[in-house]
Amino acid sequence: MRVPGLRYRDEWLPNFFPAKQVGPDHFVRLSRTGAMQLLSAAENAQLDEISMDEALFERLEQTSHLITAQNSSRVLEDLKRWHDRTYAGPGLHIVVLSKRCNLNCTYCHMNPENISADSKRFDMQPDVADAIIRFALGSPAPFLGFEFQGGEPFLNFEGMKYFVEEARRQNEAVGKRLRFSVVSNLMVATDEHIAYCKENRINVSYSLNGPEDIHDSFRVTRSGAGSFRKVMERLSHFRDRFPGVLSASPLCVVGASNAKELKRTIDFYHAEGFKDLAILKLKALGNARKEKLPFDIQDFLHYYLDALDYIYEKNRQENENYSERVVRVVLAKILQPTDTGFVDWRNPVGDFGSAITYDHDGEILPSDEARSMRSEFGLGNVKGTTYDALIRNKATFRSMNLSLRDRDPQCRECAFNPYCGVLPVLDYARTGDATPRPHASEECLQTLAVVEWVLRKLVEDPIPLLRMMPGMDAALVEMANGLPTEPSSQAMPPMLSVQSG
C-alpha cells in the first residue's frame, strides 16, 4: 500500500505538541526540544494521517519534530541543549544585603524594615556573607552572578564591598567567572556608591514606575511622600556622571490603578530616552497583600496586550527598536536552541536549580518571592548546610518539581508546553496551594496570551516584532523579510523555524 514520495507512520515517532492556529493558513507546532515550525493547514493535517509528503517528513525530521532511526541520537542532543540551563547548576545568587529600606512601597513583596531599624539585626553580617560565598562557589555552574537586593542594599554599602572583595578572594582557588549587580531605589545612593560600582563593573538596576503621579502612588517614603523627583534627580546625575553603570531597562509594576495608563507610561519612558522596559504584574505578596491591592489577571492581560500592540505599532511607524522584557523572552525561546536564562519563565522553573536567594540572615530560599513565606519554603541556613547536601534532599526541588508541565494531562496537550513557565511559590501565595492549575494559574494564562501574541505578530509582520530584540542587525531583518506569507511547503527562514544550534 506504500506510495512513492510518501513516508508512513512506522518510520517515525511524534515529538511535537498539538497545533495552534496563529494566522489565516498558519499553524504552529512546537517540538519537545523547543523548535518551532510554521505549517499550512494542509501540512498540519498530515501529522494526523498515516502518511505525509516526503519533503515535509524531511523538514520535520531535521527540526526534531519527528524521531527517526536516523536522527534519534541528535534529538536527544537537542533535548539536552534545550535544557542546558536547567541542569547546569545555579548561576544566579540573590543576596539580601539589608532588610531595611528608606521607602515603603505599596506593592513591595519583601516586608521591609524601617531605615532606623537595628542594622546589626537586619543587615547582612560578614560571617553570613562568608558562608554564602562558600556555598555558591560549591555549586557546579562555571559562571556566577551575585545580585544584591534589599530593602535598600546601599544601606549596607560596607557589606557590599566586603562581599565583592571576599568573593573574589575565595574564587582565586576555584576559578569561576563572577558578575555582580545591585537592585536599588537610587534615593540613598551616592557618588561614592556608584563610582565603586563602575570601578568594579557592578550593574545597577532600579524601579521607575512611570510619570510622577503614577510613580508616587506606589513608591512612597515612610511618611507617605512621593519619591519621583528624587529618583529622577539621582537618575539624571548618575547617568551623566557614570555612564554605562545604570540599567537601560527600568522596572514598571502594574496594578489596577495604573493599568489604564500604560500607553502614557510607555510614552513617558520613551521621552526619557528608554527604549526598553519590563512590565510586571503586581504580586499578591507583602505590602500588596496588606494594602489589599488585588489585580485580576484577565484585566492585566487586556491592558498588557494593548500596550504591546502600542509598542509594536511604534516600531512599525517610527522604525524604532522599542522593546518589552517578556516579549524578548518569548523571542529568545523561539530563536535560540537553549531555553532562556530568565529563571522565572522556564519549564521547569529555575527555583534553586538555576537561582538561589539568601536572606539577610543566611536563610536559603528557592526564589526571591519566597522571602515573605520563609516558614513554608525555607531550605535551612547557609551557615549550617552545603550545596551538595541540599541537592541530595528531594524537598529542595519542591517548587521545581511542581512546575513541570508534563505533570498535568491538560498541559501535556498544550501547544505551548515547551515555552511555559509557572511559579508554584506565587500559586501558594494566592491560593494556599503550591500546585499550579492548568489554564488557571496566572503565569500559565500570561504564557498562553503573550506567546500567541508574538506568534501572530511574527506571521502578520515580523519586522516591528524583531526590532524588540536588542542588538538586532541587518541580517536578522533580511531573514525576517524572507518569511513567507503563505507557509505551504516552503520552510521558514532557519532562525524563525528551527532550533538548529
Side-chain angles (χ1 to χ4, degrees):
M1 60 174 282
R2 298 181 188 272
V3 176
L6 297 180
R7 304 298 290 267
Y8 291 82
R9 289 189 73 99
D10 59 351
E11 299 178 76
W12 56 270
L13 288 170
N15 192 40
F16 50 79
F17 290 92
K20 178 70 176 180
Q21 186 169 3
V22 295
D25 190 32
H26 302 77
F27 292 79
V28 160
R29 288 273 190 172
L30 301 183
S31 77
R32 290 190 172 274
T33 60
M36 186 191 83
Q37 275 290 296
L38 187 65
L39 307 174
S40 68
E43 289 173 329
N44 184 61
Q46 292 184 55
L47 273 65
D48 297 320
E49 297 172 351
I50 64 170
S51 64
M52 68 174 67
D53 294 335
E54 188 159 19
L56 179 61
F57 171 88
E58 292 174 352
R59 176 177 153 197
L60 298 180
E61 181 184 40
Q62 175 63 30
T63 62
S64 299
H65 282 70
L66 307 180
I67 301 175
T68 69
Q70 286 69 39
N71 77 349
S72 57
S73 295
R74 179 171 56 79
V75 172
L76 290 176
E77 291 173 3
D78 290 347
L79 181 65
K80 283 183 175 292
R81 185 171 10 183
W82 178 250
H83 287 296
D84 181 62
R85 292 187 176 100
T86 302
Y87 303 107
L92 173 61
H93 298 261
I94 297 174
V95 179
V96 182
L97 285 179
S98 178
K99 196 175 180 182
R100 298 181 299 131
C101 192
N102 54 301
L103 294 181
N104 192 29
C105 300
T106 59
Y107 55 58
C108 182
H109 65 275
M110 306 304 182
N111 292 323
E113 297 291 333
N114 196 306
I115 190 174
S116 60
D118 184 2
S119 61
K120 290 190 179 299
R121 180 181 176 190
F122 294 112
D123 286 4
M124 182 172 288
Q125 301 302 307
D127 62 324
V128 175
D130 290 344
I132 291 172
I133 294 164
R134 286 195 299 271
F135 185 97
L137 291 177
S139 70
F143 179 96
L144 302 183
F146 291 102
E147 180 180 289
F148 300 125
Q149 290 195 16
E152 169 49 55
F154 281 124
L155 290 175
N156 188 12
F157 182 53
E158 291 304 315
M160 181 186 300
K161 291 193 296 182
Y162 178 85
F163 194 102
V164 171
E165 291 155 16
E166 180 63 16
R168 287 173 174 162
R169 187 192 69 78
Q170 289 192 31
N171 188 51
E172 289 176 0
V174 182
K176 295 180 184 289
R177 295 169 56 203
L178 305 184
R179 176 182 58 82
F180 301 92
S181 61
V182 57
V183 180
S184 170
N185 60 47
L186 297 183
M187 292 184 67
V188 302
T190 66
D191 282 6
E192 179 189 5
H193 298 156
I194 306 304
Y196 178 82
C197 290
K198 184 175 180 64
E199 179 183 350
N200 288 275
R201 301 183 300 280
I202 301 173
N203 178 264
V204 180
S205 61
Y206 50 90
S207 291
L208 179 61
N209 232 85
E212 183 170 3
D213 60 318
I214 297 175
H215 179 98
D216 284 349
S217 68
F218 289 113
R219 303 188 63 79
V220 296
T221 65
R222 293 283 170 174
S223 64
S227 60
F228 177 84
R229 295 186 182 184
K230 179 69 173 179
V231 171
M232 291 300 291
E233 181 271 323
R234 296 278 79 195
L235 182 58
S236 176
H237 173 75
F238 292 143
R239 289 167 86 180
D240 291 341
R241 185 85 185 272
F242 306 99
V245 177
L246 299 187
S247 169
S249 176
L251 305 177
C252 176
V253 175
V254 176
S257 63
N258 66 326
K260 296 179 182 179
E261 302 290 341
L262 265 177
K263 290 182 181 179
R264 179 163 70 94
T265 300
I266 290 167
D267 287 340
F268 163 79
Y269 287 129
H270 294 168
E272 291 295 329
F274 297 107
K275 291 194 172 183
D276 183 22
L277 73 153
I279 299 174
L280 310 175
K281 182 187 177 294
L282 181 146
K283 299 171 183 175
L285 300 168
N287 282 354
R289 184 184 293 274
K290 295 175 186 175
E291 298 289 335
K292 298 181 179 178
L293 299 176
F295 186 28
D296 182 75
I297 182 63
Q298 296 297 348
D299 290 339
F300 168 76
L301 291 175
H302 169 76
Y303 292 111
Y304 173 65
L305 296 178
D306 192 43
L308 295 186
D309 284 335
Y310 190 59
I311 296 172
Y312 177 88
E313 287 303 322
K314 275 179 170 285
N315 285 350
R316 189 208 298 268
Q317 297 171 13
E318 302 173 20
N319 286 327
E320 277 291 357
N321 293 75
Y322 295 128
S323 184
E324 194 277 329
R325 183 174 69 177
V326 172
V327 172
R328 295 200 315 273
V329 172
V330 178
L331 287 171
K333 288 175 179 284
I334 293 172
L335 298 174
Q336 297 175 2
T338 301
D339 199 3
T340 172
F342 188 54
V343 297
D344 286 349
W345 195 353
R346 292 222 301 259
N347 179 10
V349 71
D351 289 4
F352 194 89
S354 298
I356 303 174
T357 295
Y358 311 87
D359 216 345
H360 67 287
D361 59 355
E363 183 72 11
I364 303 170
L365 297 152
S367 72
D368 183 31
E369 293 82 2
R371 285 165 55 186
S372 60
M373 297 172 284
R374 285 175 37 149
S375 61
E376 181 68 24
F377 294 103
L379 299 173
N381 196 284
V382 71
K383 292 191 290 184
T385 189
T386 64
Y387 175 82
D388 188 62
L390 280 186
I391 63 172
R392 296 174 188 278
N393 184 348
K394 187 175 181 179
T396 299
F397 301 102
R398 172 191 174 193
S399 56
M400 197 173 179
N401 283 329
L402 286 172
S403 75
L404 279 169
R405 292 302 82 211
D406 281 353
R407 293 170 62 97
D408 300 289
Q410 195 171 354
C411 295
R412 289 197 291 270
E413 295 301 314
C414 178
F416 300 152
N417 179 295
Y419 295 171
C420 194
V422 293
L423 298 175
V425 169
L426 291 184
D427 269 296
Y428 180 85
R430 290 187 293 258
T431 69
D433 183 353
T435 306
R437 296 154 298 144
H439 295 190
S441 292
E442 290 190 0
E443 293 71 35
C444 170
L445 294 173
Q446 183 168 359
T447 295
L448 296 173
V450 72
V451 172
E452 182 171 351
W453 182 90
V454 167
L455 293 172
R456 288 185 179 277
K457 295 301 182 185
L458 195 59
V459 168
E460 176 187 325
D461 182 358
I463 300 300
L465 178 70
L466 293 175
R467 288 189 183 280
M468 294 190 185
M469 287 291 284
M472 187 192 71
D473 55 21
L476 190 55
V477 176
E478 181 179 350
M479 198 170 294
N481 280 330
L483 181 68
T485 56
E486 296 297 332
S488 65
S489 61
Q490 181 182 1
M492 295 172 66
M495 284 188 69
L496 299 180
S497 63
V498 53
Q499 310 285 357
S500 56

